[in-house]
Amino acid sequence: MRNWNSPFMNIVHGIAVTINVTAGLFQLYFRHGHFAIHAAIQFGVAGFIIGLNIWAGIAGRKVARMRARLRDLQIAETEMRLMSDTDRIAASQKAIALLHRIVKATGATITEGPSIVDPAAIYGGLTVQIHIGGADYIILVGHIYRIREGIVQAGTCYHPPMALPWGDCIASALLLLKNDPSIFERWQRQDQYYS
Amino acid sequence: MAQVKIVSGSGDDVLLDYNPATANMAEVNAFIGNLEKQTGGKTFSETTGEIVRNVTPETGDVLHVRPIAGG
């Protein structure tokens, strides 16, 4: 995929398209034998090469975006690993303070202890819950569950683009979900980053 | 002082500090607009939790959130 869009391949494809289009036009001009079929084949080959390049360009851009995000994530994870314990604790406390502010601003609630989606309290026993449009959403680190009439109806995972303290992780998801509940279904479709 | 913050690995980082009484709000909004273009994310008010489309002197601190992947 990487080599499809190199300048050399672009020149080769350009020459191939030119040859095929020119040959097709010659077939139509001189009209020898089964000229229509030959011309159609020539134009078809040219169209195929053009289509292949368009597809490779689109796919290549998507791959480049994913690589850039993976690089950002790796850099952030390295930075977090290199942080001293004091800095890490400070970052975590800042994140928890932010989470409390965001919970208050959005009208969500924080509860401690086991919950319907975390009965053994393995996620630290801290759950953020918000009511949006007739359903309750419980937000954990990396997971969100939608609950209607006391039953867990659906769930999805989510992944911030960089390693974040858990308070920031939940605060980000809470803000996005509160302002656009349809993001829950888009996260379930898991095909790209959403905001 | 009001702040434009972004969520990051070291907690939230302050990208811009400004005095709402004296700052040029057009410049603050342009800064946030560029940030959203760069990251593809959205900016929210820390006071109301709502998306901020236009920062005014009354808006207060805002938080920029990068896009999040599903799955």
Side-chain angles (χ1 to χ4, degrees):
Chain A
M1 185 66 61
R2 204 181 305 172
N3 293 332
W4 275 110
N5 283 328
S6 67
F8 173 73
M9 288 306 289
N10 286 340
I11 292 170
V12 167
H13 291 161
I15 292 171
V17 167
T18 307
I19 290 172
N20 277 282
V21 167
T22 309
L25 289 171
F26 271 132
Q27 294 285 348
L28 289 176
Y29 182 74
F30 289 111
R31 295 177 179 249
H32 283 301
H34 300 289
F35 67 92
I37 295 171
H38 293 151
I41 290 170
Q42 305 287 0
F43 289 138
V45 169
F48 173 76
I49 295 172
I50 291 170
L52 204 59
N53 275 273
I54 292 171
W55 170 77
I58 293 169
R61 271 198 293 274
K62 198 172 175 179
V63 166
R65 272 200 306 267
M66 285 169 61
R67 282 207 184 107
R69 289 203 170 112
L70 182 60
R71 206 170 38 242
D72 285 343
L73 186 60
Q74 287 168 339
I75 289 169
E77 282 183 352
T78 305
E79 282 174 354
M80 279 199 79
R81 258 203 309 276
L82 295 174
M83 277 166 84
S84 67
D85 285 344
T86 317
D87 287 344
R88 205 173 286 126
I89 291 169
S92 184
Q93 285 172 342
K94 260 174 90 174
I96 292 171
L98 173 70
L99 176 62
H100 280 275
R101 288 198 301 276
I102 299 301
V103 161
K104 188 177 168 197
T106 54
T109 52
I110 293 184
T111 52
E112 286 189 47
S115 69
I116 187 173
V117 295
D118 185 20
I122 58 173
Y123 288 104
L126 207 72
T127 341
V128 173
Q129 185 165 340
I130 186 165
H131 186 83
I132 305 171
D136 285 312
Y137 293 84
I138 291 185
I139 305 170
L140 306 173
V141 176
H143 303 270
I144 300 181
Y145 297 94
R146 181 165 60 204
I147 301 180
R148 285 192 208 267
E149 294 166 9
I151 299 168
V152 177
Q153 189 203 45
T156 185
C157 299
Y158 66 92
H159 310 281
M162 58 194 324
L164 296 175
W166 65 264
D168 282 344
C169 197
I170 296 179
S172 301
L174 176 59
L175 282 168
L176 289 173
L177 184 67
K178 160 82 175 155
N179 283 275
D180 182 13
S182 69
I183 206 171
F184 183 87
E185 278 79 27
R186 282 181 282 150
W187 278 334
Q188 283 183 316
R189 281 206 299 273
Q190 65 178 301
D191 53 2
Q192 59 177 320
Y193 283 88
Y194 300 102
S195 62
Chain B
M1 294 295 276
Q3 293 176 331
V4 177
K5 297 181 208 166
I6 189 166
V7 174
S8 75
S10 52
D12 43 297
D13 286 335
V14 177
L15 296 179
L16 180 68
D17 248 314
Y18 64 95
N19 185 341
T22 56
N24 181 343
M25 299 315 294
E27 280 181 13
V28 176
N29 281 303
F31 176 83
I32 292 173
N34 278 337
L35 183 61
E36 288 182 351
K37 260 195 212 129
Q38 261 178 10
T39 65
K42 290 200 163 76
T43 310
F44 302 88
S45 161
E46 279 196 16
T47 318
T48 63
E50 307 280 333
I51 285 187
V52 166
R53 303 206 192 275
N54 189 39
V55 174
T56 63
E58 293 77 34
T59 303
D61 290 354
V62 298
L63 179 72
H64 183 77
V65 174
R66 289 187 181 88
I68 291 181

